[in-house]
Amino acid sequence: MSRMSEFAGRSGAEYTMAVERGKIREFAAAVGSDHPAYFGDEPVSPPTFLASNAFWTTDGSDPWGDQGPDLSRVLHAGQRYVFHGPPPRAGAVLQCRQRIDRVYTKQGRRGGALEFADIVTEYRDADGELVAESIATLVVTEQAPQ
């Protein structure tokens, strides 16, 4: 198995994500939504818009650094969002930080061990208030797929 448990609690560097009106509109169109809240003068971001934070990451923001798990064995097992108020609107500037929150192991049904990691990304406003969190669950299989 990998050494993922050694990384539990590790955080990456903070980075900035600007919530842009045009990007909100593009995201809504890409997911097939025509809800007017995403297309007005001050649109609110769709709940899953925060996934686009990947375009804003910088060197050092990945909590794994260059020592992450073997990507040929990584599966994305889940994603959820927790909002501590309304979703961000266009014009918001969010400070983001990712951390490896929890690592645990389960036995797979086909004989191999599965190692799970919950990666939490916090999104804070200009006042440092927590706006939202995304929690991604990754699974690393014991063996690479055949």
Side-chain angles (χ1 to χ4, degrees):
M1 286 305 298
S2 70
R3 310 175 343 264
M4 287 192 348
S5 60
E6 297 174 20
F7 291 88
R10 189 177 190 185
S11 293
E14 188 174 82
Y15 56 97
T16 301
M17 175 184 180
V19 181
E20 302 169 346
R21 181 174 66 180
K23 293 302 178 185
I24 290 173
R25 291 175 178 177
E26 289 173 6
F27 189 90
V31 298
S33 178
D34 59 1
H35 194 288
Y38 307 142
F39 295 94
D41 289 336
E42 294 182 28
V44 64
S45 61
T48 56
F49 176 79
L50 294 176
S52 67
N53 85 83
F55 293 107
W56 294 91
T57 58
T58 59
D59 286 343
S61 62
D62 182 350
W64 300 106
D66 60 359
Q67 303 170 352
D70 176 0
L71 294 179
S72 71
R73 297 179 18 227
V74 174
L75 305 170
H76 186 266
Q79 184 79 36
R80 65 187 174 99
Y81 297 89
V82 177
F83 289 89
H84 302 280
R89 291 193 168 277
V93 177
L94 304 175
Q95 297 303 313
C96 309
R97 185 181 302 266
Q98 298 177 355
R99 78 173 179 282
I100 303 165
D101 190 55
R102 182 170 75 125
V103 177
Y104 52 100
T105 304
K106 292 183 180 181
Q107 189 62 33
R109 284 185 255 169
R110 296 185 183 171
L114 302 172
E115 196 168 21
F116 292 77
D118 291 336
I119 312 301
V120 175
T121 304
E122 293 184 347
Y123 304 85
R124 296 183 178 273
D125 66 16
D127 296 325
E129 294 296 318
L130 187 60
V131 173
E133 298 168 277
S134 64
I135 301 96
T137 301
L138 306 179
V139 179
V140 177
T141 60
E142 189 169 23
Q143 298 174 355
Q146 300 296 321

PDB file of all heavy atoms in Angstrom, residues 112-133:
ATOM      1  N   GLY A 112      -8.210  -7.010  -2.581  1.00  0.00           N
ATOM      2  CA  GLY A 112      -7.207  -5.971  -2.416  1.00  0.00           C
ATOM      3  C   GLY A 112      -7.625  -4.923  -1.404  1.00  0.00           C
ATOM      4  O   GLY A 112      -8.808  -4.663  -1.209  1.00  0.00           O
ATOM      5  N   ALA A 113      -6.650  -4.333  -0.767  1.00  0.00           N
ATOM      6  CA  ALA A 113      -6.930  -3.242   0.167  1.00  0.00           C
ATOM      7  C   ALA A 113      -7.171  -1.949  -0.614  1.00  0.00           C
ATOM      8  O   ALA A 113      -6.593  -1.736  -1.676  1.00  0.00           O
ATOM      9  CB  ALA A 113      -5.767  -3.068   1.130  1.00  0.00           C
ATOM     10  N   LEU A 114      -8.026  -1.110  -0.068  1.00  0.00           N
ATOM     11  CA  LEU A 114      -8.327   0.195  -0.649  1.00  0.00           C
ATOM     12  C   LEU A 114      -7.982   1.263   0.385  1.00  0.00           C
ATOM     13  O   LEU A 114      -8.411   1.177   1.534  1.00  0.00           O
ATOM     14  CB  LEU A 114      -9.809   0.298  -1.013  1.00  0.00           C
ATOM     15  CG  LEU A 114     -10.340  -0.745  -1.989  1.00  0.00           C
ATOM     16  CD1 LEU A 114     -11.861  -0.631  -2.105  1.00  0.00           C
ATOM     17  CD2 LEU A 114      -9.683  -0.579  -3.342  1.00  0.00           C
ATOM     18  N   GLU A 115      -7.204   2.240  -0.020  1.00  0.00           N
ATOM     19  CA  GLU A 115      -6.831   3.324   0.877  1.00  0.00           C
ATOM     20  C   GLU A 115      -7.583   4.581   0.443  1.00  0.00           C
ATOM     21  O   GLU A 115      -7.541   4.964  -0.728  1.00  0.00           O
ATOM     22  CB  GLU A 115      -5.323   3.537   0.832  1.00  0.00           C
ATOM     23  CG  GLU A 115      -4.809   4.343   1.988  1.00  0.00           C
ATOM     24  CD  GLU A 115      -3.294   4.310   2.094  1.00  0.00           C
ATOM     25  OE1 GLU A 115      -2.615   4.004   1.099  1.00  0.00           O
ATOM     26  OE2 GLU A 115      -2.793   4.615   3.179  1.00  0.00           O
ATOM     27  N   PHE A 116      -8.296   5.198   1.373  1.00  0.00           N
ATOM     28  CA  PHE A 116      -9.125   6.366   1.107  1.00  0.00           C
ATOM     29  C   PHE A 116      -8.480   7.604   1.712  1.00  0.00           C
ATOM     30  O   PHE A 116      -7.846   7.529   2.764  1.00  0.00           O
ATOM     31  CB  PHE A 116     -10.509   6.199   1.748  1.00  0.00           C
ATOM     32  CG  PHE A 116     -11.357   5.131   1.127  1.00  0.00           C
ATOM     33  CD1 PHE A 116     -11.124   3.793   1.392  1.00  0.00           C
ATOM     34  CD2 PHE A 116     -12.407   5.470   0.288  1.00  0.00           C
ATOM     35  CE1 PHE A 116     -11.913   2.801   0.822  1.00  0.00           C
ATOM     36  CE2 PHE A 116     -13.199   4.488  -0.281  1.00  0.00           C
ATOM     37  CZ  PHE A 116     -12.950   3.154  -0.015  1.00  0.00           C
ATOM     38  N   ALA A 117      -8.685   8.745   1.047  1.00  0.00           N
ATOM     39  CA  ALA A 117      -8.245  10.030   1.589  1.00  0.00           C
ATOM     40  C   ALA A 117      -9.326  11.061   1.318  1.00  0.00           C
ATOM     41  O   ALA A 117      -9.833  11.159   0.197  1.00  0.00           O
ATOM     42  CB  ALA A 117      -6.932  10.474   0.953  1.00  0.00           C
ATOM     43  N   ASP A 118      -9.712  11.795   2.351  1.00  0.00           N
ATOM     44  CA  ASP A 118     -10.644  12.914   2.208  1.00  0.00           C
ATOM     45  C   ASP A 118      -9.824  14.195   2.112  1.00  0.00           C
ATOM     46  O   ASP A 118      -9.058  14.515   3.033  1.00  0.00           O
ATOM     47  CB  ASP A 118     -11.599  13.000   3.395  1.00  0.00           C
ATOM     48  CG  ASP A 118     -12.586  11.853   3.440  1.00  0.00           C
ATOM     49  OD1 ASP A 118     -12.852  11.257   2.382  1.00  0.00           O
ATOM     50  OD2 ASP A 118     -13.094  11.556   4.542  1.00  0.00           O
ATOM     51  N   ILE A 119      -9.956  14.886   0.986  1.00  0.00           N
ATOM     52  CA  ILE A 119      -9.238  16.129   0.744  1.00  0.00           C
ATOM     53  C   ILE A 119     -10.240  17.273   0.903  1.00  0.00           C
ATOM     54  O   ILE A 119     -11.224  17.344   0.171  1.00  0.00           O
ATOM     55  CB  ILE A 119      -8.642  16.182  -0.681  1.00  0.00           C
ATOM     56  CG1 ILE A 119      -7.901  14.890  -1.020  1.00  0.00           C
ATOM     57  CG2 ILE A 119      -7.773  17.426  -0.856  1.00  0.00           C
ATOM     58  CD1 ILE A 119      -6.767  14.541  -0.105  1.00  0.00           C
ATOM     59  N   VAL A 120     -10.001  18.153   1.860  1.00  0.00           N
ATOM     60  CA  VAL A 120     -10.901  19.271   2.136  1.00  0.00           C
ATOM     61  C   VAL A 120     -10.281  20.542   1.576  1.00  0.00           C
ATOM     62  O   VAL A 120      -9.107  20.832   1.820  1.00  0.00           O
ATOM     63  CB  VAL A 120     -11.148  19.435   3.650  1.00  0.00           C
ATOM     64  CG1 VAL A 120     -11.986  20.675   3.940  1.00  0.00           C
ATOM     65  CG2 VAL A 120     -11.806  18.187   4.221  1.00  0.00           C
ATOM     66  N   THR A 121     -11.076  21.281   0.813  1.00  0.00           N
ATOM     67  CA  THR A 121     -10.664  22.613   0.358  1.00  0.00           C
ATOM     68  C   THR A 121     -11.559  23.619   1.047  1.00  0.00           C
ATOM     69  O   THR A 121     -12.781  23.521   0.974  1.00  0.00           O
ATOM     70  CB  THR A 121     -10.794  22.757  -1.169  1.00  0.00           C
ATOM     71  OG1 THR A 121     -10.033  21.711  -1.799  1.00  0.00           O
ATOM     72  CG2 THR A 121     -10.274  24.111  -1.639  1.00  0.00           C
ATOM     73  N   GLU A 122     -10.957  24.570   1.752  1.00  0.00           N
ATOM     74  CA  GLU A 122     -11.702  25.647   2.405  1.00  0.00           C
ATOM     75  C   GLU A 122     -11.661  26.881   1.521  1.00  0.00           C
ATOM     76  O   GLU A 122     -10.619  27.188   0.930  1.00  0.00           O
ATOM     77  CB  GLU A 122     -11.090  25.980   3.767  1.00  0.00           C
ATOM     78  CG  GLU A 122     -11.235  24.891   4.784  1.00  0.00           C
ATOM     79  CD  GLU A 122     -10.711  25.291   6.153  1.00  0.00           C
ATOM     80  OE1 GLU A 122     -10.010  26.333   6.265  1.00  0.00           O
ATOM     81  OE2 GLU A 122     -10.996  24.557   7.119  1.00  0.00           O
ATOM     82  N   TYR A 123     -12.788  27.572   1.459  1.00  0.00           N
ATOM     83  CA  TYR A 123     -12.940  28.805   0.682  1.00  0.00           C
ATOM     84  C   TYR A 123     -13.326  29.907   1.659  1.00  0.00           C
ATOM     85  O   TYR A 123     -14.386  29.837   2.279  1.00  0.00           O
ATOM     86  CB  TYR A 123     -14.028  28.646  -0.387  1.00  0.00           C
ATOM     87  CG  TYR A 123     -13.792  27.485  -1.317  1.00  0.00           C
ATOM     88  CD1 TYR A 123     -14.198  26.201  -0.974  1.00  0.00           C
ATOM     89  CD2 TYR A 123     -13.145  27.670  -2.538  1.00  0.00           C
ATOM     90  CE1 TYR A 123     -13.970  25.130  -1.824  1.00  0.00           C
ATOM     91  CE2 TYR A 123     -12.913  26.588  -3.383  1.00  0.00           C
ATOM     92  CZ  TYR A 123     -13.330  25.332  -3.019  1.00  0.00           C
ATOM     93  OH  TYR A 123     -13.101  24.271  -3.863  1.00  0.00           O
ATOM     94  N   ARG A 124     -12.485  30.915   1.797  1.00  0.00           N
ATOM     95  CA  ARG A 124     -12.725  32.008   2.747  1.00  0.00           C
ATOM     96  C   ARG A 124     -12.834  33.337   2.005  1.00  0.00           C
ATOM     97  O   ARG A 124     -12.161  33.552   1.004  1.00  0.00           O
ATOM     98  CB  ARG A 124     -11.607  32.079   3.783  1.00  0.00           C
ATOM     99  CG  ARG A 124     -11.571  30.824   4.649  1.00  0.00           C
ATOM    100  CD  ARG A 124     -10.517  30.904   5.740  1.00  0.00           C
ATOM    101  NE  ARG A 124     -10.552  29.706   6.551  1.00  0.00           N
ATOM    102  CZ  ARG A 124     -11.343  29.528   7.607  1.00  0.00           C
ATOM    103  NH1 ARG A 124     -12.150  30.490   7.998  1.00  0.00           N
ATOM    104  NH2 ARG A 124     -11.312  28.383   8.275  1.00  0.00           N
ATOM    105  N   ASP A 125     -13.689  34.222   2.539  1.00  0.00           N
ATOM    106  CA  ASP A 125     -13.870  35.541   1.922  1.00  0.00           C
ATOM    107  C   ASP A 125     -12.763  36.488   2.379  1.00  0.00           C
ATOM    108  O   ASP A 125     -11.850  36.105   3.124  1.00  0.00           O
ATOM    109  CB  ASP A 125     -15.268  36.089   2.205  1.00  0.00           C
ATOM    110  CG  ASP A 125     -15.537  36.391   3.670  1.00  0.00           C
ATOM    111  OD1 ASP A 125     -14.581  36.473   4.484  1.00  0.00           O
ATOM    112  OD2 ASP A 125     -16.725  36.556   4.011  1.00  0.00           O
ATOM    113  N   ALA A 126     -12.858  37.749   1.948  1.00  0.00           N
ATOM    114  CA  ALA A 126     -11.829  38.748   2.248  1.00  0.00           C
ATOM    115  C   ALA A 126     -11.678  39.003   3.743  1.00  0.00           C
ATOM    116  O   ALA A 126     -10.621  39.436   4.202  1.00  0.00           O
ATOM    117  CB  ALA A 126     -12.150  40.056   1.518  1.00  0.00           C
ATOM    118  N   ASP A 127     -12.731  38.722   4.524  1.00  0.00           N
ATOM    119  CA  ASP A 127     -12.670  38.895   5.977  1.00  0.00           C
ATOM    120  C   ASP A 127     -12.178  37.644   6.696  1.00  0.00           C
ATOM    121  O   ASP A 127     -12.142  37.606   7.927  1.00  0.00           O
ATOM    122  CB  ASP A 127     -14.052  39.271   6.523  1.00  0.00           C
ATOM    123  CG  ASP A 127     -14.535  40.616   6.000  1.00  0.00           C
ATOM    124  OD1 ASP A 127     -13.678  41.520   5.809  1.00  0.00           O
ATOM    125  OD2 ASP A 127     -15.751  40.765   5.783  1.00  0.00           O
ATOM    126  N   GLY A 128     -11.855  36.612   5.940  1.00  0.00           N
ATOM    127  CA  GLY A 128     -11.386  35.372   6.539  1.00  0.00           C
ATOM    128  C   GLY A 128     -12.499  34.434   6.977  1.00  0.00           C
ATOM    129  O   GLY A 128     -12.233  33.392   7.568  1.00  0.00           O
ATOM    130  N   GLU A 129     -13.743  34.805   6.678  1.00  0.00           N
ATOM    131  CA  GLU A 129     -14.881  33.963   7.063  1.00  0.00           C
ATOM    132  C   GLU A 129     -14.991  32.769   6.123  1.00  0.00           C
ATOM    133  O   GLU A 129     -14.854  32.912   4.902  1.00  0.00           O
ATOM    134  CB  GLU A 129     -16.184  34.767   7.017  1.00  0.00           C
ATOM    135  CG  GLU A 129     -16.255  35.879   8.040  1.00  0.00           C
ATOM    136  CD  GLU A 129     -16.234  35.376   9.466  1.00  0.00           C
ATOM    137  OE1 GLU A 129     -16.907  34.361   9.765  1.00  0.00           O
ATOM    138  OE2 GLU A 129     -15.528  35.997  10.287  1.00  0.00           O
ATOM    139  N   LEU A 130     -15.287  31.610   6.696  1.00  0.00           N
ATOM    140  CA  LEU A 130     -15.443  30.397   5.911  1.00  0.00           C
ATOM    141  C   LEU A 130     -16.741  30.473   5.115  1.00  0.00           C
ATOM    142  O   LEU A 130     -17.821  30.564   5.677  1.00  0.00           O
ATOM    143  CB  LEU A 130     -15.440  29.168   6.826  1.00  0.00           C
ATOM    144  CG  LEU A 130     -15.422  27.806   6.169  1.00  0.00           C
ATOM    145  CD1 LEU A 130     -14.175  27.621   5.294  1.00  0.00           C
ATOM    146  CD2 LEU A 130     -15.484  26.718   7.235  1.00  0.00           C
ATOM    147  N   VAL A 131     -16.629  30.464   3.780  1.00  0.00           N
ATOM    148  CA  VAL A 131     -17.769  30.560   2.869  1.00  0.00           C
ATOM    149  C   VAL A 131     -18.271  29.172   2.503  1.00  0.00           C
ATOM    150  O   VAL A 131     -19.474  28.913   2.472  1.00  0.00           O
ATOM    151  CB  VAL A 131     -17.369  31.333   1.586  1.00  0.00           C
ATOM    152  CG1 VAL A 131     -18.465  31.302   0.543  1.00  0.00           C
ATOM    153  CG2 VAL A 131     -16.985  32.762   1.934  1.00  0.00           C
ATOM    154  N   ALA A 132     -17.334  28.268   2.207  1.00  0.00           N
ATOM    155  CA  ALA A 132     -17.708  26.927   1.757  1.00  0.00           C
ATOM    156  C   ALA A 132     -16.534  25.986   1.942  1.00  0.00           C
ATOM    157  O   ALA A 132     -15.386  26.413   2.126  1.00  0.00           O
ATOM    158  CB  ALA A 132     -18.129  26.959   0.295  1.00  0.00           C
ATOM    159  N   GLU A 133     -16.857  24.704   1.879  1.00  0.00           N
ATOM    160  CA  GLU A 133     -15.849  23.658   1.894  1.00  0.00           C
ATOM    161  C   GLU A 133     -16.228  22.634   0.828  1.00  0.00           C
ATOM    162  O   GLU A 133     -17.411  22.371   0.622  1.00  0.00           O
ATOM    163  CB  GLU A 133     -15.810  22.939   3.238  1.00  0.00           C
ATOM    164  CG  GLU A 133     -15.440  23.842   4.400  1.00  0.00           C
ATOM    165  CD  GLU A 133     -15.708  23.155   5.729  1.00  0.00           C
ATOM    166  OE1 GLU A 133     -16.865  23.189   6.186  1.00  0.00           O
ATOM    167  OE2 GLU A 133     -14.749  22.581   6.283  1.00  0.00           O
TER     168      GLU A 133
END
